[in-house]
Amino acid sequence: MLYKEFTSALIMSAIIAAFAVPLTQLSGESQLVPFLLLACMGVFNVGQYILAVVRHAAKIDVKLSLQGYPLRRVGALFALTALYLFLLEYAGFYLDSLVYFIIASLVAQPMRITPALVIKRILVCFACIAFLYCLFTVLLAVQIPKGFLGI
């Protein structure tokens, strides 16, 4: 079992290295955020190696530990995220993000979906998008994909 988990960690290391190579082409402040993201990925990758060794030493069967894991929900969230990224330029950042946040927050949570929960999630997601609008468009004047509605 160590072999599979160690292989998974090695693949993640290769992905990090593949993302790090183009980072060398950036300079100055444009390197900061990608570097921080890669550093976080590196920390989690080290955790993968440690977890593989600990599970192997404790003889923990990973298949048993994954029982009850919401694989369908994770797959749906992955597909939703891919769709979000695909539609970002067409729909615009704010509209696309609002719809994504609402749907993802409802798909990700394990509780039963009620009308009150949906209304609460819509309000919270709208507040998050309003905050992002104030931050990126009003305060920082960042160029954001406007989409077909022009917002």
Side-chain angles (χ1 to χ4, degrees):
M1 196 53 64
L2 176 67
Y3 170 74
K4 288 183 180 180
E5 288 197 64
F6 189 71
T7 303
S8 173
L10 280 175
I11 291 171
M12 179 56 89
S13 296
I15 291 170
I16 293 170
F19 281 123
V21 170
L23 187 61
T24 60
Q25 302 297 321
L26 300 175
S27 62
E29 290 181 9
S30 62
Q31 277 186 327
L32 183 62
V33 172
F35 176 76
L36 290 175
L37 290 174
L38 283 176
C40 289
M41 289 173 67
V43 168
F44 285 119
N45 190 228
V46 169
Q48 279 184 297
Y49 287 109
I50 294 169
L51 191 58
V53 170
V54 167
R55 284 184 176 164
H56 179 70
K59 299 192 184 329
I60 296 174
D61 186 5
V62 177
K63 289 180 183 175
L64 288 176
S65 66
L66 287 177
Q67 283 182 344
Y69 185 75
L71 199 55
R72 286 189 195 141
R73 189 176 305 143
V74 171
L77 287 170
F78 179 80
L80 183 63
T81 302
L83 183 64
Y84 165 74
L85 294 173
F86 180 74
L87 294 175
L88 191 60
E89 195 71 33
Y90 175 74
F93 175 75
Y94 297 115
L95 177 62
D96 197 32
S97 296
L98 178 64
V99 172
Y100 173 76
F101 286 169
I102 292 168
I103 295 172
S105 69
L106 292 172
V107 169
Q109 58 88 32
M111 300 173 292
R112 192 171 78 83
I113 298 174
T114 64
L117 179 69
V118 171
I119 291 170
K120 181 179 171 184
R121 294 291 166 94
I122 289 171
L123 292 174
V124 168
C125 293
F126 187 77
C128 289
I129 295 300
F131 171 77
L132 290 176
Y133 177 81
C134 290
L135 178 67
F136 291 131
T137 302
V138 176
L139 294 174
L140 298 175
V142 175
Q143 290 184 351
I144 301 290
K146 295 196 184 288
F148 66 94
L149 292 177
I151 54 174

